[in-house]
Amino acid sequence: MRKVCLNTRDELLIIDLDKVAFFQANGNYTRLTYISGHALTLNTGLSGVEKILAAVLPKGIPAMFVRMGRSLIINQTYLSNINVPKQYLTLSDIESHHFKLNVPKALLKVYKDKVAARYTAPQQTPDK
């Protein structure tokens, strides 16, 4: 389990990163939504969240979280669908929880290609 502790003047918040579906900008704050649907507001902006994630997650392995433009960071663990023409992606636990998030077409196109390249096996060339 990967957890991070946010300690502010008034509260201590322990976040289970493995269960976070996405972070979404909300002015100077960030809305954290778990895959279960439970949501809470963090008193830091999305850039602050991005710095925290970079500091606590291991380097050198594919990133668990990816920034999608100015207002969204998604947990790629839950990625189940990308629809470029309709401009959305779906995060799902494949059971009962899913989130359909709107993302600009240009970002989705680039992201879709990166995801496809990661999951596609390299082509073998036949021996002559």
Side-chain angles (χ1 to χ4, degrees), residues 105-122:
K105 188 183 274 191
L107 286 173
L108 276 181
K109 174 73 173 114
V110 171
Y111 182 58
K112 176 183 165 284
D113 292 343
K114 286 181 182 180
V115 171
R118 186 174 13 160
Y119 287 103
T120 304

Side-chain angles (χ1 to χ4, degrees), residues 32-52:
L32 174 157
T33 303
Y34 286 104
I35 196 66
S36 67
H38 179 72
L40 47 101
T41 301
L42 307 177
N43 64 354
T44 186
L46 204 59
S47 294
V49 169
E50 194 171 32
K51 288 177 187 174
I52 291 166

Side-chain angles (χ1 to χ4, degrees), residues 52-65:
I52 291 166
L53 293 174
V56 300
L57 294 174
K59 312 279 185 273
I61 60 171
M64 177 185 209
F65 291 93

Side-chain angles (χ1 to χ4, degrees), residues 3 5 7 11-12 19 21 23 34-35 37 41 43 46 53 63 80 84 90 94 97 106 110-111 119 124:
K3 292 188 178 186
C5 177
N7 188 7
E11 75 178 328
L12 178 73
K19 295 180 181 177
F23 297 93
Y34 286 104
I35 196 66
T41 301
N43 64 354
L46 204 59
L53 293 174
S80 64
V84 176
T90 304
I94 313 299
H97 302 99
V110 171
Y111 182 58
Y119 287 103
Q124 299 272 336

Side-chain angles (χ1 to χ4, degrees), residues 2 16-22 33-36 63-65 74-82 89-95 97-101 111 119:
R2 289 171 272 229
D16 185 347
L17 295 176
D18 293 325
K19 295 180 181 177
V20 172
F22 62 94
T33 303
Y34 286 104
I35 196 66
S36 67
M64 177 185 209
F65 291 93
I74 65 165
N75 184 340
Q76 297 186 100
T77 306
Y78 296 112
L79 181 66
S80 64
N81 182 32
I82 297 173
L89 58 79
T90 304
L91 302 177
S92 174
D93 64 1
I94 313 299
E95 292 174 6
H97 302 99
H98 68 278
F99 298 94
K100 189 174 173 181
L101 303 169
Y111 182 58
Y119 287 103

